[in-house]
Amino acid sequence: MRLVIARCSVDYAGRLSAHLPSATRLILVKADGSVSIHADDRAYKPLNWMSPPCVLKEADGVWTVENKAGEKLIITLEEVLHDSSHELGVDPGLIKDGVEAHLQVLLADRMEVLGAGWSLIRREYPTAIGPVDILCRDSDGATVAVEIKRRGEIDGVEQLTRYLELLNRDPLLAPVKGIFAAQEIKPQARVLATDRGIGCVVLDYDALRGIDDDKLKLF
């Protein structure tokens, strides 16, 4: 991972245009190719970012990050205060809490609740950027990646998007669709998922355990 602290301005050119005026910011360039720009007052959420796959081109004082859709993130560096790279190694991944892990087990065992004829390929399907919670096939034989959360927020949609971009490069699996499943899905996350063609499923933990007849709600 490369960490750059610099006084910079940032312009985004794509479906919309956005501009960040000059300020001192942290720029992260991750091993997966993603680039994100952070301020000191927004916790983990970046001011702007470009998800992989994308290409970073460095010229004198200007970085241009471009994705496969032609969208660009242009970073104009005025003063570089710090520039270092670090090898983080393979991350073991997030250990899910009890409810989230149990939801995964229950849903994998009852694929029919997603639809008649759905079948499990594998739980914790391995990828280069972490395991997909559930990989399955729908009634038409299409591959579907399912990301499970207790509370569905934008970060979860972004995570599933990264998995889908990677899985769709595999000719044996492509095309791969996505399902974002959670006990509660925030409105912003639902809007983002819908915009990206990802289905949303609200899971009922008690129903999956057989306590209630209503297994889940599919939107």
Side-chain angles (χ1 to χ4, degrees):
M1 180 182 293
R2 184 178 178 187
L3 294 83
V4 177
I5 298 175
R7 174 165 288 278
C8 62
S9 60
V10 183
D11 291 279
Y12 169 80
R15 288 173 291 179
L16 301 172
S17 295
H19 173 72
L20 292 172
S22 178
T24 301
R25 301 185 174 96
L26 168 65
I27 305 170
L28 294 180
V29 183
K30 294 187 178 181
D32 64 2
S34 64
V35 177
S36 56
I37 298 97
H38 298 258
D40 198 25
D41 62 348
R42 292 168 61 95
Y44 62 89
K45 188 175 181 180
L47 295 165
N48 214 326
W49 69 94
M50 189 70 77
S51 299
C54 56
V55 176
L56 168 61
K57 296 180 180 178
E58 297 182 46
D60 187 20
V62 178
W63 289 11
T64 302
V65 188
E66 184 173 359
N67 65 14
K68 61 183 180 181
E71 298 169 315
K72 293 182 179 180
L73 201 61
I74 302 169
I75 306 168
T76 303
L77 302 171
E78 300 166 17
E79 181 184 8
V80 177
L81 305 174
H82 175 87
D83 188 345
S84 64
S85 297
H86 307 270
E87 179 59 54
L88 301 186
V90 178
D91 192 273
L94 179 68
I95 299 175
K96 296 181 180 292
D97 63 32
V99 172
E100 216 167 271
H102 199 203
L103 280 170
Q104 183 190 120
V105 172
L106 290 169
L107 188 57
D109 191 51
R110 301 178 63 186
M111 293 305 304
E112 72 278 2
V113 299
L114 291 176
W118 286 54
S119 60
L120 177 70
I121 296 175
R122 178 173 172 172
R123 284 178 50 220
E124 299 288 334
Y125 186 88
T127 76
I129 58 174
V132 177
D133 287 339
I134 290 177
L135 195 69
C136 57
R137 295 195 186 280
D138 65 16
S139 57
D140 296 322
T143 309
V144 183
V146 183
E147 180 64 24
I148 299 172
K149 300 291 184 186
R150 183 169 59 180
R151 182 178 291 106
E153 300 184 356
I154 284 177
D155 285 352
V157 178
E158 293 286 3
Q159 182 181 2
L160 179 54
T161 299
R162 291 192 294 270
Y163 287 144
L164 290 171
E165 288 176 346
L166 196 63
L167 292 169
N168 273 300
R169 298 182 205 171
D170 186 341
L172 297 178
L173 297 175
V176 183
K177 299 184 295 185
I179 292 289
F180 187 52
Q183 288 181 281
E184 173 193 1
I185 299 178
K186 298 293 185 179
Q188 299 93 330
R190 186 183 296 279
V191 170
L192 181 61
T194 301
D195 181 65
R196 296 182 176 179
I198 294 172
C200 291
V201 172
V202 176
L203 299 174
D204 186 324
Y205 185 46
D206 289 338
L208 283 171
R209 289 188 296 164
I211 296 176
D212 195 328
D213 287 335
D214 295 327
K215 296 173 184 175
L216 52 74
K217 300 173 185 176
L218 177 61
F219 298 90

